Amino acid sequence: MKHSVVIVDDHILLSQALSGLINSFENFEVTYLCKNGADLVEKMKFENNRPEIVLMDVNMPIMNGIEATSWLKENHPN
């Protein structure tokens, strides 16, 4: 079984490059990319979209990485 990874970053090229690198490892799979914390919150409303690992940028528009991490800790502590 592969570990699910989500990348949250407003730099699309960086996210895509990092996704390609992570997907090259046999035990990891990037399930989706988010452009900011609000996008992550929206996607995590669905139970099948909850990753095991979140790679988060700090500086992003709308909802930054610190705010999104606080939301994750409060709403999905596991």
Side-chain angles (χ1 to χ4, degrees):
M1 185 175 144
K2 292 188 175 190
H3 298 284
S4 60
V5 179
V6 167
I7 300 171
V8 185
D9 196 321
D10 58 327
H11 295 96
I12 303 301
L13 290 176
L14 178 65
S15 295
Q16 291 173 340
L18 190 54
S19 177
L21 177 64
I22 291 167
N23 286 331
S24 72
F25 296 100
E26 65 180 60
N27 292 328
F28 295 90
E29 177 181 34
V30 175
T31 53
Y32 55 91
L33 305 174
C34 297
K35 60 186 175 225
N36 57 54
D39 191 21
L40 175 68
V41 169
E42 186 63 33
K43 288 182 178 176
M44 286 194 61
K45 288 181 181 177
F46 303 99
E47 207 167 307
N48 62 339
N49 276 347
R50 296 186 184 150
E52 295 174 89
I53 301 167
V54 177
L55 298 177
M56 183 98 58
D57 185 12
V58 174
N59 289 324
M60 296 178 289
I62 303 174
M63 180 184 236
N64 68 37
I66 295 169
E67 295 166 332
T69 301
S70 294
W71 181 88
L72 277 173
K73 186 176 177 183
E74 183 176 321
N75 294 281
H76 301 284
N78 294 332

